[in-house]
């Protein structure tokens, strides 16, 4: 396709004989590539340069899309097959050029790259970059405020009261924003407006993103800290692509140090992006950032309201947001001038997106940095084996901090052998642990109990007939949530009230909870320690970042004696008065035969342990385990993480398991078991053969039924030097899924469910 000269005023062009000038427009929809559109007379070609955001007709609809580049930068074997050309006569014109900053070239290249690597349609990757709602320009928004005086005859309901509370606390907000914050439908807001209890009001001006000042409040760094900060500052100042692993024990000052890299990036006038695995963490993080730089960073995550989302997207595109901290989706923001990426807690599996386009944000951050020609810093106390292998191969730089800041010591880690020190019947905390909690809180210090399981009990069983309460849509047990009086499926969200009798044998009062969730541990702790002030931290008890920030603030103000939580408490929190961490079930993550189960358990528990003793008072960590001699427990007790990872590496190397080889999973899902089996079998028959590659399966997925869909898995394992994408493309082209079946591709899978 020749696009060298699209200028309609080109004097060499003979009227009537030439082809109409065209542009390629990528739409945020699951098509294999961009479509051609004609340049309308109303627009100059120069308006429709690659990156321009336009609206175009598609069938009877109008869609927002992006003028795409003509030449792929991908190696041919990675590039998607070309789209068929459209004849001139059938070409439709671009409808309008939208008043938005263009999508920068770096982001366009990144979209192409991610699509090719993950075998996704580029449009679906673009959808993440465009966040269509974020980009559609809107007229000035009208907000709603509380009418004063209120109408005399207003009918009050709990939801209406909630709405009025939200509006009086936060001033004029859009109806959608009010509904979101109050957790009600927009209808409730409209109803109040109709009743005269809310009146229209102009919205306050959007919050400007203040410029962080790199010299506002720099820390005093010494020794290892100063050396590491110096190296990172240099990389950020010079610019250019590089990858650095910043490894340091919990509390060694990693955050403090990478903030110096951000300072250097800001001093050069470029933008910085910080990825956190869990957006709940952002409250403490932004507070820290503000103390260091005298201004808040921009935030980006899925909980942002539509208005703030729009403002932030634009500010990033205009370069008005110098620093963005966010979840993995922030990688797809339109930075025109990205100068640094930080991936904090790089080992976290939360960086892997499992729905829609499956991608690993840590790996894609490296790609984004390469496209931008910028340094990326991967930060962790317990780096992933993937990253360590890259360090070992000399591809990544390595900075190490071996001591905690300010003389704080590493916590002492011990296992409690649950066979020798069992809890009382029906309870889950060993006397060794409860005594330690009593002692720590008696000294006025804080304690934490960690159990990576939400709800009251993971299984409900009938004592009479042995019936297990199972999800009707998934191969999974229903988890009791006692406070809400429901049984729910953690995979599909199905829920039902806890039945009074066994649905199988009708025996009454026979259903029994088996095993603990965090709710049950809380019940036990309340009974054992009636005087302690307890804070539960689990994703379902803390509905959003604000509630989490609140809980964290209460803990920091010492209004809490005992924190009980799921993996959310493991994250990078800094609780200076916390000295004891008890892990209720240290063996929990080890079952299941997942490739990374041991690595992940060490990382998670080490991180939980790292919450203890971060200030003067030394910390203590107690791991309740039935397998205290397991290598994972021994590694946690000895603290010799390096030796453990060396062993892990030696186990994976011979079989070419990652990071010494590549994996790609094919997941077949279908309406019926037959369609799933037939499609999976067809894939099996068409499987590639060759040197350095092996196909495992098809086999039923551990979650053999999920949301009513029947699932089968195949796993392609190759040597590192095999390019799996072309192989997969060819393989998939040979198989037509049965009716009602689909095949999803997961490159570098993290979950094997
Ligand atoms: P990490 O990210 O490695 O867990 P942090 O950066 O959170 O460590 O540091 C742990 C604590 O020590 C924080 O409260 C931090 O503010 C403090 N700290 C670390 N280094 C310094 C320093 N050089 N000067 C002052 N405080 C520091
Ligand atoms: Zn389910």
């Amino acid at each position: 396709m020749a696009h060298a000269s699209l200028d309609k005023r080109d004097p060499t062009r003979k009227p009537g004989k030439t082809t109409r000038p065209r542009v390629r427009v990528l739409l945020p929809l699951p098509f294999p590539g961009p479509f051609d559109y004609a340049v309308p007379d109303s627009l100059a070609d120069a308006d429709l340069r690659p990156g321009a955001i336009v609206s175009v007709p598609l069938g009877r609809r109008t869609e927002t899309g992006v003028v795409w580049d003509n030449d792929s930068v991908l190696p041919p074997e990675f590039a998607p097959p070309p789209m068929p050309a459209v004849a001139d006569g059938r070409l439709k014109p671009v409808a309008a050029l939208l008043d938005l900053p263009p999508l920068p070239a770096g982001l366009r290249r990144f979209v192409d790259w991610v699509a090719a690597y993950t075998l996704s349609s580029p449009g679906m990757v673009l959808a993440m970059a465009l966040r269509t709602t974020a980009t559609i320009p809107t007229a000035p928004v009208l907000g709603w405020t509380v009418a004063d005086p209120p109408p005399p005859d207003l009918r009050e309901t709990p939801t209406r009261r909630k709405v009025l509370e939200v509006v009086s606390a936060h001033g004029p907000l859009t109806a959608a924003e009010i509904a979101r914050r109050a957790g009600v439908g927009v209808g409730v807001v409209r109803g109040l407006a109709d009743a005269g209890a809310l009146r229209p009001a102009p919205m306050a001006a959007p919050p400007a993103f203040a410029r962080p000042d790199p010299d506002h409040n720099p820390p005093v760094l010494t020794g290892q800290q100063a050396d590491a900060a110096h190296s990172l500052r240099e990389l950020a100042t010079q610019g250019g692509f590089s990858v650095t692993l910043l490894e340091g024990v919990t509390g060694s000052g990693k955050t403090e140090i990478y903030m110096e890299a951000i300072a250097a990036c800001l001093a050069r006038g470029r933008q910085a992006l910080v990825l956190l695995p869990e957006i709940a963490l952002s409250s403490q993080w932004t507070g820290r950032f503000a103390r260091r730089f005298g201004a808040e960073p921009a935030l980006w995550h899925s909980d942002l309201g539509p208005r703030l989302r729009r403002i932030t997207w634009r500010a990033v595109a205009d370069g008005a947001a110098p620093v963005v901290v966010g979840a993995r989706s922030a990688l797809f923001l339109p930075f025109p001038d990205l100068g640094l990426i930080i991936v904090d807690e790089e080992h976290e599996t939360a960086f892997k997106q499992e729905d829609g386009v499956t991608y690993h944000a840590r790996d894609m951050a490296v790609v984004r940095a390469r496209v931008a020609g910028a340094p990326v810093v991967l930060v962790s106390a317990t780096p992933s084996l993937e990253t360590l292998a890259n360090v070992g191969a000399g591809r990544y730089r390595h900075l190490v901090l071996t001591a905690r800041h300010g003389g704080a010591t590493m916590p002492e880690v011990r296992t409690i052998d649950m066979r020798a020190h069992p809890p009382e019947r029906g309870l889950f905390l060993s006397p060794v642990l409860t005594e330690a909690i009593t002692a720590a809180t008696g000294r006025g210090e804080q304690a934490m109990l960690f159990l990576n399981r939400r709800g009251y009990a993971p299984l409900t069983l009938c004592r009479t007939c042995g019936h297990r309460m199972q999800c009707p849509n998934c191969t999974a047990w229903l988890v009791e949530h006692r406070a809400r009086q429901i049984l729910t499926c953690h995979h599909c969200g199905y829920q039902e009230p806890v039945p009074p009798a066994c649905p199988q044998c009708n025996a009454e009062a026979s259903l029994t909870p088996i095993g603990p969730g965090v709710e049950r541990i809380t019940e036990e702790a309340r009974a054992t320690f009636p005087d302690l002030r307890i804070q539960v931290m689990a994703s379902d008890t803390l509905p959003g970042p604000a509630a989490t920030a609140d809980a964290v603030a209460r803990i920091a103000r010492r209004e809490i004696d005992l924190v009980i939580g799921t993996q959310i408490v493991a994250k990078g929190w800094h609780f200076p008065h916390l000295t004891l961490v008890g892990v209720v079930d240290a063996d929990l993550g080890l079952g299941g035969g997942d490739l990374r189960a041991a690595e992940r358990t060490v990382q998670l528990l080490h991180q939980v342990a790292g919450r203890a003793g971060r200030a003067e008072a030394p910390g203590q960590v107690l791991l309740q385990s039935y397998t205290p001699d397991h290598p994972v427990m021994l590694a946690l007790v000895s603290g010799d993480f390096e030796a453990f990872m060396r062993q892990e590496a030696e186990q994976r190397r011979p079989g070419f398991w990652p990071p010494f080889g590549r994996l790609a999973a094919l997941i077949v899902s279908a309406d019926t078991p037959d369609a799933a089996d037939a499609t999976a079998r067809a894939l099996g028959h068409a499987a590639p053969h060759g040197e350095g590659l092996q196909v495992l399966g098809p086999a039923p997925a551990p979650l053999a039924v999920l949301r009513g869909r029947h699932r089968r898995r195949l796993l392609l394992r190759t040597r590192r030097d095999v390019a799996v994408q072309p192989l997969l493309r060819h393989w998939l082209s040979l198989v037509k899924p049965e009716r009602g079946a689909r095949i999803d591709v997961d490159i570098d899978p993290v979950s094997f469910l």
Side-chain angles (χ1 to χ4, degrees):
M1 282 189 283
H3 290 268
S5 169
L6 291 177
D7 193 340
K8 293 190 296 296
R9 289 167 302 257
D10 184 349
T12 63
R13 193 182 272 167
K14 296 191 191 74
K17 282 222 58 183
T18 49
T19 53
R20 291 176 74 183
R22 312 173 162 219
V23 287
R24 308 206 311 149
V25 176
L26 186 61
L27 298 174
L29 296 166
F31 295 112
F35 290 122
D36 281 2
Y37 284 91
V39 177
D41 292 336
S42 57
L43 289 171
D45 301 330
D47 296 332
L48 297 182
R49 289 223 186 90
I53 301 181
V54 294
S55 62
V56 294
L58 181 75
R60 294 191 181 164
R61 291 179 299 172
T62 301
E63 292 286 345
T64 301
V66 178
V67 176
W68 216 244
D69 307 74
N70 293 318
D71 305 307
S72 173
V73 291
L74 298 166
E77 70 271 27
F78 281 92
M83 297 280 284
V86 180
D88 258 12
R90 295 184 39 224
L91 208 58
K92 290 188 182 158
V94 169
L97 173 68
L98 302 185
D99 177 23
L100 284 165
L103 219 62
L107 181 52
R108 300 198 304 274
R109 293 296 67 72
F110 183 59
V111 167
D112 281 339
W113 207 98
V114 172
Y117 187 81
T118 61
L119 267 78
S120 312
S121 103
M124 294 316 283
V125 182
L126 177 69
M128 298 193 289
L130 217 48
R131 293 280 162 170
T132 317
T133 54
T135 53
I136 291 172
T138 45
V141 212
L142 194 63
W144 297 93
T145 186
V146 177
D148 190 19
D153 51 349
L154 185 68
R155 191 171 53 81
E156 288 233 0
T157 64
T159 47
R160 284 187 158 189
R161 256 195 301 280
K162 186 86 197 98
V163 166
L164 292 173
E165 264 169 42
V166 164
V167 180
S168 41
H170 299 284
L173 293 169
T174 62
E177 184 65 22
I178 296 169
R180 198 183 65 81
R181 291 201 192 196
V184 303
V186 179
V188 181
V189 182
R190 291 221 186 86
L192 279 169
D194 293 344
L198 295 177
R199 63 174 175 76
M203 296 278 287
F209 293 96
R211 282 224 147 255
D213 172 6
D215 301 320
H216 177 74
N217 184 17
V220 180
L221 302 174
T222 52
Q224 281 183 332
Q225 281 193 341
D227 294 344
H230 179 77
S231 301
L232 290 186
R233 268 183 166 280
E234 257 188 352
L235 290 170
T237 304
Q238 285 161 8
F241 172 64
S242 63
V243 190
T244 306
L245 168 62
L246 175 60
E247 179 181 1
V249 298
T250 49
S252 56
K254 297 185 295 296
T255 314
E256 215 69 45
I257 289 163
Y258 73 64
M259 294 257 188
E260 294 317 289
I262 298 175
C265 171
L266 288 171
R268 279 185 83 203
R270 305 192 66 181
Q271 292 172 294
L273 166 63
V274 181
L275 295 181
L276 301 180
E278 179 91 48
I279 209 56
L281 272 178
S282 60
S283 60
Q284 242 190 0
W285 198 93
T286 51
R288 234 172 126 169
F289 182 91
R291 282 194 294 284
R292 170 64 184 82
F293 292 106
E296 298 259 333
L299 268 178
W300 185 262
H301 54 80
S302 53
D303 270 356
L304 280 191
R307 189 174 132 82
L308 198 51
R309 175 177 289 274
R310 205 153 41 223
I311 292 166
T312 307
W313 194 91
R314 224 188 150 117
V316 172
D318 291 338
V323 179
V324 178
V325 56
R328 56 194 179 212
S329 58
L331 272 177
F332 294 92
L333 282 170
F335 296 96
D337 200 15
L338 192 55
L340 175 71
I341 304 180
I342 310 278
V343 183
D344 203 352
E345 314 287 7
E346 68 90 27
H347 61 275
E348 280 277 353
T349 49
F351 282 123
K352 181 72 192 275
Q353 165 146 319
E354 305 276 4
D355 311 323
V357 178
T358 57
Y359 67 95
H360 201 302
R362 180 234 300 144
D363 301 341
M364 293 306 113
V366 172
V367 174
R368 185 82 161 98
R370 195 172 63 211
V371 170
V376 55
V377 185
L378 310 179
V379 184
S380 177
T382 51
S384 62
L385 197 53
E386 277 75 7
T387 296
L388 289 173
N390 278 316
V391 167
R395 284 187 286 269
Y396 293 0
R397 295 156 196 264
H398 197 191
L399 299 171
V400 187
L401 305 167
T402 50
R404 282 190 156 180
H405 167 71
T409 50
M410 288 306 286
E412 181 210 0
V413 182
R414 285 195 291 139
T415 40
I416 299 175
D417 185 339
M418 296 296 274
R419 297 163 305 186
H421 307 281
E424 274 177 49
R425 234 186 112 75
L427 299 184
F428 299 94
L429 303 178
S430 162
V432 181
L433 182 52
T434 54
E435 279 159 29
I437 293 173
T438 306
T441 52
R443 292 191 299 270
E445 296 161 7
Q446 292 170 322
M448 174 186 276
L449 285 174
F450 170 75
L451 176 62
N452 198 9
R453 200 190 262 144
R454 289 182 291 129
Y456 187 83
L459 168 62
T460 302
L461 182 90
C462 173
R463 263 182 293 134
T464 310
C465 74
H467 176 69
R468 296 163 174 215
M469 298 298 291
Q470 236 210 329
C471 176
N473 314 317
C474 305
T475 317
W477 294 331
L478 292 174
V479 179
E480 182 183 355
H481 285 245
R482 190 158 282 191
R484 285 152 61 204
Q485 297 181 326
I486 54 159
L487 295 169
T488 182
C489 171
H490 283 182
H491 295 285
C492 72
Y494 167 87
Q495 59 181 62
E496 62 180 53
V498 182
C502 172
Q504 178 108 335
C505 73
N506 288 320
E508 283 184 32
S510 176
L511 290 175
T512 313
I514 306 293
V518 77
E519 224 184 305
R520 195 170 191 180
I521 294 300
T522 306
E523 181 184 88
E524 180 175 336
R526 285 198 206 286
T528 313
F529 312 106
D531 299 330
L532 295 188
R533 297 164 299 174
I534 294 177
Q535 170 74 52
V536 181
M537 291 182 79
S539 56
D540 53 338
T541 60
L542 298 172
T548 310
D550 221 49
V552 168
R554 270 201 302 282
I555 298 167
R557 287 197 304 267
R558 306 179 84 163
E559 292 166 19
I560 300 299
D561 305 304
L562 177 61
V563 183
I564 303 178
T566 57
Q567 44 90 25
I568 193 170
V569 301
K571 310 296 166 174
W573 311 110
H574 185 63
F575 298 133
H577 309 292
L578 185 83
T579 59
L580 174 69
V581 168
V583 175
V584 175
D585 184 356
D587 309 325
L588 181 59
L590 293 176
D594 186 319
L595 159 72
R596 299 184 181 86
E599 177 191 349
R600 242 179 349 224
T601 304
V602 165
Q603 285 162 339
L604 178 65
L605 296 186
H606 185 78
Q607 202 168 359
V608 184
R611 298 317 103 207
R614 288 171 66 95
E616 300 82 42
Q620 188 188 16
V621 179
L622 296 172
L623 309 172
Q624 296 199 140
S625 171
Y626 286 91
T627 58
D629 299 324
H630 192 287
V632 163
M633 303 308 145
L634 298 178
L636 288 163
V637 169
S638 71
D640 195 346
F641 181 63
E642 215 183 306
F644 172 80
M645 289 305 261
R646 265 200 310 276
Q647 281 171 25
E648 267 298 292
E650 288 329 307
Q651 288 191 5
R652 290 195 216 166
R653 197 189 303 270
F656 296 110
W657 292 101
F660 307 104
R662 299 180 188 279
L663 286 184
L666 296 184
I667 301 120
V668 176
S669 59
D671 303 342
T672 62
D674 288 349
D677 281 329
T679 306
R681 255 196 320 270
L683 277 171
H685 289 312
H689 293 279
E691 184 51 23
L693 62 90
Q694 189 186 9
V695 173
L696 310 170
L703 264 170
V705 187
L706 177 64
R707 295 185 195 91
R709 312 246 323 148
H710 299 265
R711 300 167 77 248
R712 307 288 180 266
R713 294 182 68 105
L714 296 98
L715 193 62
L716 170 66
R717 184 176 52 161
T718 74
R719 281 197 321 239
R720 268 193 73 89
D721 55 357
V722 177
V724 296
Q725 285 80 3
L727 212 70
L728 284 167
R729 255 185 219 293
H730 177 67
W731 184 7
L732 290 167
S733 73
L734 302 175
V735 176
K736 190 168 167 293
E738 297 285 313
R739 253 183 104 81
R742 55 176 291 168
I743 305 169
D744 288 304
V745 182
D746 184 358
I747 305 281
D748 308 329
V750 163
S751 159
F752 296 87
L753 295 176

